[in-house]
Amino acid sequence: MSTLLWVLLLLLLVYSILPTILIRLFGIGVYKKGRGGNGIALTFDDGPDPEYTPQLLDLLKKHQVKATFFVLGSKAEQHPELIRRIHLEGHLIGVHNYVHWANAFLPPRKVRAQLNSSIAVIEKITGETPIFYRPPWGIFNLFDFLLMKRFRVVLWSLMVGDWRSSGGKERIIKKLLAKLSSNDIIVLHDSGQTFGADEDAPVHMLEALADFLDICKRRGFTFLRIDTYTQIDELAKRQPASWVKKGLIQVWLRWDRLFHWWFNIRPIDLHHPIFYSRVCKYKGKPLQLDNGEEIRSGDLVLELHFNNERLFHMMAESNSMVQLAVHMIREVQRFLPVLTAYLYMHREVRGVYGVTMIHRGSRQLGFTVEQLPEGLFKKASQLYLRLLLYVFHPNGRERLEASKSQLSPRIVAISVQELMKRYPVEPSMTAAETRSFAVQG
């Protein structure tokens, strides 16, 4: 290999390969995934496209979903009406260079010129200056670190290869559901005209996205623009929490994982674990349910445990115990048809029960709410749940003082028969959703 070629490879290594590796692996100066809430950020690259972007906007409007579009300045210039529509329909517009060239092959001056041209086009159309930037292919050069003072650079946590047509929509939806988790930033593409892409690939992306949005709605996910995501995370950073409390939270979450492993407690829905559960024998006094049924000692029940990591985020976002209860009720309402489907695979189970302090609204959902019998278990449960509130809530001490009368743990239970009557399995539930928890049974 000639000396010149070695020099060129070394320059490429220093100029682009090492900066890209550092940024992609360690997230230096970029935004890759949200940290708070239960949202998903949908982002779309390479547009606007006169054929596929209008279809995408119609689909997002139908589902009342807001997204983020990283557009090419050259295409924005060719299709100002699409940029105007994206903006007017409440979506966020970011920059994806003027043309789809990798920063590895551009000098710093050319990268700045591409960004300035794109910003000028978008400003002229919308009247607003974009501050979010995603370089093509997520490739950086050494001087892009300087851009991080001017832009919020956004990458992704979930990519599914939707720029290829092979496998159709089934491949895309399968990858989305297999890898999806709360706070993901998903990258999709509303154009197939860039290097390496199939021209008809957006057809399959749109078909998969339609199914995906239906599934996410049932699972209780919300969709956020990138700027909303970053605002939530900045707010979370400002919330008062000592290093001791942060340490306690981490210790508690690790204990949770150990507890779940030891007692074989698993999520109902592997891709959206709102609740964890185990099938076990009920031990205690007979539970007389509101529908006339009874759960007796020795009956098989599904014991529910709320996902404490999700609870932590919900507490951080709630201003009061009442607001927290409302959030939990909404989550439970979305979850119950999934629980019904799960119990069809466990016909031997007689009822579902758990112990919680946040039981407001449970009766309206069909659950029986009972006092815990006096004794050691009640005292231990009360101590555990109050400690949980103190550790997880940003203002836990104040909440405990203000809500002592409300913080009494209750048994919450429902029979399987009543659950199936009130929350039948939705006909539109897909096979992919069923497979997401079938491996447990």
Side-chain angles (χ1 to χ4, degrees):
M1 190 179 292
S2 68
T3 303
L4 177 60
L5 186 56
W6 275 113
V7 170
L8 289 174
L9 287 174
L10 181 61
L11 286 174
L12 183 62
L13 178 69
V14 174
Y15 185 68
S16 179
I17 296 175
L18 284 178
T20 299
I21 290 173
L22 287 172
I23 291 170
R24 296 279 289 272
L25 281 182
F26 302 105
I28 298 173
V30 300
Y31 197 76
K32 295 176 65 176
K33 186 168 183 174
R35 299 174 184 87
N38 188 37
I40 301 172
L42 280 177
T43 67
F44 298 93
D45 290 1
D46 301 352
D49 183 276
E51 181 176 359
Y52 298 116
T53 303
Q55 297 178 50
L56 172 58
L57 290 170
D58 289 343
L59 181 61
L60 295 176
K61 187 175 184 179
K62 174 185 174 183
H63 288 271
Q64 298 182 316
V65 165
K66 304 303 178 190
T68 302
F69 288 76
F70 290 97
V71 303
L72 295 170
S74 58
K75 290 190 173 183
E77 203 165 33
Q78 295 168 20
H79 307 289
E81 74 287 352
L82 292 178
I83 296 295
R84 193 172 296 111
R85 181 181 171 187
I86 292 170
H87 175 66
L88 291 175
E89 293 186 5
H91 305 290
L92 180 66
I93 298 175
V95 177
H96 197 47
N97 280 4
Y98 187 76
V99 293
H100 206 276
W101 291 346
N103 289 5
F105 305 109
L106 298 174
R109 178 180 56 81
K110 186 67 174 177
V111 174
R112 288 197 300 273
Q114 287 230 16
L115 288 170
N116 290 336
S117 297
S118 299
I119 288 169
V121 170
I122 295 167
E123 276 184 335
K124 184 177 179 181
I125 299 169
T126 67
E128 294 186 4
T129 303
I131 62 169
F132 292 89
Y133 172 52
R134 174 180 287 160
W137 293 296
I139 295 174
F140 297 83
N141 68 49
L142 186 61
F143 294 90
D144 286 344
F145 286 103
L146 300 176
L147 294 175
M148 294 172 185
K149 295 182 178 180
R150 181 183 176 190
F151 296 97
R152 296 297 302 269
V153 181
V154 179
L155 292 181
W156 55 84
S157 59
L158 180 51
M159 176 184 282
V160 295
D162 66 304
W163 58 87
R164 297 191 304 272
S165 296
S166 60
K169 80 165 188 176
E170 293 300 328
R171 178 182 60 84
I172 296 172
I173 194 72
K174 183 178 179 180
K175 285 191 172 184
L176 283 170
L177 293 176
K179 299 178 181 180
L180 181 66
S181 63
S182 295
N183 306 314
D184 266 330
I185 296 176
I186 301 173
V187 58
L188 297 169
H189 301 79
D190 56 329
S191 173
Q193 297 178 351
T194 54
F195 177 77
D198 296 328
E199 287 192 14
D200 64 339
V203 172
H204 308 295
M205 182 277 291
L206 289 166
E207 291 174 348
L209 183 62
D211 289 350
F212 180 67
L213 291 175
D214 282 331
I215 291 168
C216 287
K217 182 178 180 181
R218 289 195 293 270
R219 293 185 177 184
F221 282 111
T222 55
F223 291 89
L224 306 174
R225 299 181 356 163
I226 288 293
D227 56 344
T228 307
Y229 239 142
T230 56
Q231 288 167 13
I232 290 173
D233 288 351
E234 289 299 322
L235 181 61
K237 288 179 184 177
R238 292 197 296 268
Q239 293 203 353
S242 68
W243 66 269
V244 175
K245 194 163 186 180
K246 289 177 181 177
L248 282 173
I249 290 169
Q250 293 306 313
V251 169
W252 196 297
L253 291 176
R254 280 166 174 74
W255 156 251
D256 252 11
R257 295 186 190 109
L258 177 62
F259 180 82
H260 292 162
W261 171 78
W262 185 264
F263 289 98
N264 198 29
I265 298 171
R266 301 179 182 181
I268 296 287
D269 184 340
L270 297 177
H271 304 312
H272 186 41
I274 302 170
F275 285 100
Y276 290 80
S277 72
R278 64 171 180 164
V279 175
C280 59
K281 289 184 178 180
Y282 173 70
K283 297 177 182 178
K285 295 181 179 180
L287 271 178
Q288 190 68 42
L289 304 179
D290 290 345
N291 70 338
E293 294 185 75
E294 189 175 64
I295 297 176
R296 302 181 182 91
S297 182
D299 286 343
L300 280 179
V301 292
L302 187 75
E303 183 181 271
L304 286 183
H305 298 257
F306 203 83
N307 179 352
N308 281 334
E309 189 168 357
R310 173 70 188 123
L311 180 62
F312 165 63
H313 291 305
M314 291 175 67
M315 284 183 171
E317 296 161 12
S318 301
N319 297 320
S320 67
M321 291 298 292
V322 173
Q323 189 177 29
L324 175 61
V326 170
H327 287 169
M328 289 186 69
I329 288 169
R330 288 174 180 167
E331 293 258 358
V332 173
Q333 284 176 320
R334 296 178 183 121
F335 169 75
L336 288 174
V338 178
L339 177 59
T340 299
Y342 179 75
L343 287 170
Y344 271 110
M345 298 183 297
H346 295 272
R347 293 284 191 170
E348 74 280 10
V349 171
R350 184 168 177 78
V352 177
Y353 98 110
V355 177
T356 179
M357 284 189 304
I358 309 168
H359 41 76
R360 185 187 297 267
S362 298
R363 290 191 187 278
Q364 289 91 322
L365 296 175
F367 287 81
T368 299
V369 180
E370 293 285 346
Q371 290 274 3
L372 277 172
E374 294 296 330
L376 183 61
F377 180 72
K378 179 177 180 177
K379 290 179 180 178
S381 298
Q382 195 163 35
L383 177 63
Y384 171 83
L385 293 171
R386 288 186 177 186
L387 184 59
L388 180 72
L389 178 63
Y390 170 76
V391 171
F392 277 13
H393 201 285
N395 301 306
R397 187 191 298 273
E398 292 82 358
R399 294 296 171 213
L400 283 172
E401 291 298 322
S403 310
K404 276 185 178 178
S405 61
Q406 301 174 29
L407 299 181
S408 177
R410 299 282 196 277
I411 295 173
V412 178
I414 189 171
S415 71
V416 170
Q417 183 178 335
E418 183 70 13
L419 183 77
M420 290 181 172
K421 184 175 80 173
R422 285 176 174 260
Y423 306 100
V425 177
E426 297 181 21
S428 57
M429 180 173 280
T430 65
E433 285 183 282
T434 305
R435 286 196 299 271
S436 72
F437 54 75
V439 294
Q440 299 182 72

